[in-house]
Amino acid sequence: MDALVERVTRTVAMRTSRRGILGMLGKLIAGAMVLPLLPVERVSARANTAEAAEEGDPLSCDYWRYCGFDGSLCGCCGGSTTQCPPGTMMSPTSWVGSCKHPIDGKDYMIGYRDCCGKDQCGRCFCQNNKGDMPLYRTQLDNGVTWCFGTASFVVNCTTAVKLGLKS
Amino acid sequence: MSRKAWSLLFVIFLICVTAMTVPAQPPPPEGVSVRELGPIQPHWVFLISPAGVDSEEATKVEVIDGDSLQFLGMLTGGVLGTAAVSPDHRFIYMADTFYSRGARGVRTDVVTTYDARRLAPVREVIIPPKRQQTIPPDSSALALTPDGRLLLVANLTPATSMTVVDLGSNKVLGEIETPGCTGILISGPRRFESLCGDGTMISIDFNDSGRMTASQRMARPFFDPEKDPVFSVPAVLGHTAYFVSYHAMVYPVDWSVEPPKAGTPWSMLTDAQRREGWRPGGYQPLAGYAPGNLFYVLMHRGGQWSHKQAGIEVWVYSAQHRRRVDRIVLPRPGTDLYVTRDSDPRLFVVSLPELNGPPTPTALQSFSTRTGRYLGVLDQLPGFPLWMFGAP
């Protein structure tokens, strides 16, 4: 799996967009062609939902939250799994994936939020396509540049914010 | 010293003086110029590389002679640009996004017309700053009407619409909204189809003023996006669009009627092939060859969600007979595939670098579709080409 991921990942190396997906989540977000905005405040609030302790290396593409990831890991670019690098703009929008926590075995919603406004960081490219759909399911397309709501569609890297348990 | 000897010395002296005083004749000047291309040939191919490893600000369109496998030149655009060739082969249109300060500043979206022989810009038109920014920059993001008069540019804000540009007057005519539906699949002189999130297709008629005049949507989905999504860009053979799905089903749609009419889906795989895990995949996994009623698919062996994995073989299908008629093993795995439209077609496959194993350059492989024979490769392609197209 790692090898596969890395391989695809490399190809994506260029910059690209990102966003993973979540088949079932699609239903939740579906009608939202209009705007998948997840205001920052709401995201941080929900990120505190109780769950098992973290496990794994957030700088590795096989870290559990990255099951739908597509882009450079912000942790390798001056940010972290939940922080954008200095001087970039975190998009208030994202696509949302669903990944299984390795410890409690539950599925969590993960918001793959782009950090925009600086050129591609280029480090730690990671592409996992679980749940990735074509553009007609826009909210589930990790090939879209999710910089809506920021001042630039140039992507620096991508975060993976835990939004809470999948209901 | 004899008189004769003195004379000889004098002559030598004269020669030396002359040589020192008369400037050396410069070599004939070497001609310098900027090369121009000849007319676009049937086996020329255009590759869109939206970015390099660490930059996404300057999309390249690479022009390649598929016969000699020579790199002929390129265009340089902006963020996630897309491009298309005019039906008369005189121009290349590129839709781009630029920021006034590189990655920041004021955004300008623009359609630039390039002279196809000089690969140089000749005019431009500013369009609304909301072009669709997606990977790959596929052919459903920028489309010409068959007469070459109008250019449609896909927008994503993420609300969806199409900007209509009149290439004759070089003006933006208007915008057609396609709520919940994406992609410009040209199906008539003034008609395009879009795929909708519920698995239906919508036909949109428009006029020379760039306004929608009618739209009809399928009553029922022709595929189930939840269970088996189709890749966005079909192989178009005659009036039928053949969509291929993640799980290797073929979904034909007759778009000569409005709304488009779904045909009977069929599987690309035998039970044995399905057990072996064969699936379509890549960024541009499908190409049609209308004269032969054939379509070509990049195939790999992988699990669910491996739909962007590079293909290791190209499988060729007869649309009429609903079965595989050829199988081409690729020397290098490929992510993009294109077939030319002439009577002696070439199959081109782009290979991107792989992490595991020895470093490999980005390359374009060429095959004869008649024999499946491997004809050669062009290495060291700039950037990461994610979409290929030819002249219409």
Side-chain angles (χ1 to χ4, degrees), chain A residues 3-4 7 12-15 23 33 35 119-120 125 131-137 142-143 145 148 152-155, chain B residues 50 52-56 80 99 103 132-135 158 197 225-226 230 246 283 305 307-309 354 356 386:
Chain A
L4 186 153
R7 214 160 59 178
V12 176
M14 11 85 68
R15 63 343 183 6
M33 223 65 188
L35 232 230
D119 211 350
Q120 177 67 51
F125 284 111
D132 169 56
M133 301 269 275
L135 186 61
Y136 51 80
R137 297 301 288 267
N142 74 6
T145 301
F148 304 105
S152 170
F153 271 74
V154 178
V155 180
Chain B
V53 175
D54 57 1
S55 172
E56 64 171 6
L80 284 184
Y99 289 94
Q132 173 181 308
Q133 304 278 319
T134 52
I135 293 290
E226 298 290 335
V230 297
Y246 285 16
Y283 287 102
W305 306 119
H307 54 283
K308 287 180 180 169
Q309 186 171 324
E354 294 183 69
N356 303 309
L386 293 180

Side-chain angles (χ1 to χ4, degrees), chain A residues 120-138:
Chain A
Q120 177 67 51
C121 154
R123 303 192 72 224
C124 302
F125 284 111
C126 173
Q127 188 184 48
N128 295 316
N129 290 314
K130 185 192 170 201
D132 169 56
M133 301 269 275
L135 186 61
Y136 51 80
R137 297 301 288 267
T138 308

Side-chain angles (χ1 to χ4, degrees), chain B residues 297-320:
Chain B
V297 191
L298 276 169
M299 300 292 288
H300 67 277
R301 293 172 72 173
Q304 193 179 19
W305 306 119
S306 64
H307 54 283
K308 287 180 180 169
Q309 186 171 324
I312 55 174
E313 297 187 6
V314 174
W315 290 9
V316 189
Y317 286 84
S318 161
Q320 181 187 350

Side-chain angles (χ1 to χ4, degrees), chain B residues 189-236:
Chain B
R190 291 291 182 271
R191 183 192 299 171
F192 68 87
E193 318 288 330
S194 288
L195 288 179
C196 309
D198 61 358
T200 61
M201 184 183 285
I202 188 170
S203 290
I204 293 178
D205 292 295
F206 54 100
N207 60 20
D208 286 351
S209 302
R211 299 189 194 289
M212 181 168 70
T213 54
S215 73
Q216 290 200 57
R217 190 161 173 166
M218 285 177 168
R220 288 185 304 279
F222 72 95
F223 70 100
D224 184 346
E226 298 290 335
K227 294 181 179 166
D228 191 21
V230 297
F231 292 92
S232 299
V233 179
V236 181

Side-chain angles (χ1 to χ4, degrees), chain B residues 91-149:
Chain B
F91 301 109
I92 304 168
Y93 304 106
M94 191 166 181
D96 281 300
T97 295
F98 294 96
Y99 289 94
S100 59
R101 298 289 182 270
R104 60 188 176 85
V106 178
R107 173 174 174 169
T108 303
D109 286 15
V110 57
V111 170
T112 307
T113 300
Y114 288 83
D115 180 299
R117 293 200 175 202
R118 295 187 298 117
L119 300 185
V122 291
R123 58 182 172 271
E124 67 175 34
V125 53
I126 306 294
I127 58 175
K130 51 185 180 181
R131 281 184 55 242
Q132 173 181 308
Q133 304 278 319
T134 52
I135 293 290
D138 69 42
S139 58
S140 73
L142 183 77
L144 283 153
T145 54
D147 62 4
R149 288 183 53 196

Side-chain angles (χ1 to χ4, degrees), chain B residues 23-362:
Chain B
Q25 197 67 23
E30 193 170 29
V32 291
S33 64
V34 177
R35 180 175 280 182
E36 287 193 14
L37 299 176
I40 294 174
Q41 298 300 306
H43 293 166
W44 285 17
V45 65
F46 301 79
L47 278 57
I48 302 180
S49 171
V53 175
D54 57 1
S55 172
E56 64 171 6
E57 291 175 17
T59 299
K60 295 179 179 68
V61 176
E62 304 164 14
V63 186
I64 291 163
D65 177 349
D67 283 322
S68 61
L69 289 174
Q70 296 290 309
F71 193 94
L72 297 176
M74 56 181 262
L75 311 179
T76 302
V79 181
L80 284 184
T82 57
V85 176
S86 68
D88 63 9
H89 296 189
R90 291 177 59 206
F91 301 109
I92 304 168
Y93 304 106
M94 191 166 181
D96 281 300
T97 295
F98 294 96
Y99 289 94
S100 59
R101 298 289 182 270
R104 60 188 176 85
V106 178
R107 173 174 174 169
T108 303
D109 286 15
V110 57
V111 170
T112 307
T113 300
Y114 288 83
D115 180 299
R117 293 200 175 202
R118 295 187 298 117
L119 300 185
V122 291
R123 58 182 172 271
E124 67 175 34
V125 53
I126 306 294
I127 58 175
K130 51 185 180 181
R131 281 184 55 242
Q132 173 181 308
Q133 304 278 319
T134 52
I135 293 290
D138 69 42
S139 58
S140 73
L142 183 77
L144 283 153
T145 54
D147 62 4
R149 288 183 53 196
L150 304 180
L151 182 73
L152 283 74
V153 185
N155 299 317
L156 186 68
T157 65
T160 48
S161 65
M162 314 300 171
T163 294
V164 185
V165 175
D166 183 331
L167 295 167
S169 63
N170 207 38
K171 287 181 179 162
V172 173
L173 293 177
E175 188 174 334
I176 298 171
E177 295 186 352
T178 57
C181 306
T182 60
I184 311 158
L185 304 171
I186 296 287
S187 57
R190 291 291 182 271
R191 183 192 299 171
F192 68 87
E193 318 288 330
S194 288
L195 288 179
C196 309
D198 61 358
T200 61
M201 184 183 285
I202 188 170
S203 290
I204 293 178
D205 292 295
F206 54 100
N207 60 20
D208 286 351
S209 302
R211 299 189 194 289
M212 181 168 70
T213 54
S215 73
Q216 290 200 57
R217 190 161 173 166
M218 285 177 168
R220 288 185 304 279
F222 72 95
F223 70 100
D224 184 346
E226 298 290 335
K227 294 181 179 166
D228 191 21
V230 297
F231 292 92
S232 299
V233 179
V236 181
L237 308 176
H239 292 300
T240 304
Y242 292 87
F243 291 87
V244 164
S245 73
Y246 285 16
H247 297 299
M249 290 294 290
V250 178
Y251 295 88
V253 175
D254 175 0
W255 62 26
S256 64
V257 294
E258 284 188 276
K261 185 182 172 191
T264 306
W266 50 277
S267 175
M268 296 167 55
L269 305 178
T270 63
D271 289 343
Q273 290 163 352
R274 191 172 293 105
R275 280 194 299 274
E276 291 169 356
W278 286 100
R279 295 173 190 270
Y283 287 102
Q284 187 177 4
L286 175 64
Y289 179 62
N293 212 22
L294 303 170
F295 61 87
Y296 295 70
V297 191
L298 276 169
M299 300 292 288
H300 67 277
R301 293 172 72 173
Q304 193 179 19
W305 306 119
S306 64
H307 54 283
K308 287 180 180 169
Q309 186 171 324
I312 55 174
E313 297 187 6
V314 174
W315 290 9
V316 189
Y317 286 84
S318 161
Q320 181 187 350
H321 300 102
R322 300 183 178 189
R323 62 179 176 83
R324 195 179 75 183
V325 294
D326 200 0
R327 176 181 190 178
I328 299 167
V329 177
L330 298 175
R332 302 185 200 182
T335 51
D336 309 321
L337 157 159
Y338 178 75
V339 176
T340 63
R341 301 166 184 211
D342 56 309
S343 58
D344 180 23
R346 294 288 176 274
L347 163 67
F348 295 114
V349 175
V350 167
S351 297
L352 297 176
E354 294 183 69
L355 269 191
N356 303 309
T360 54
T362 305

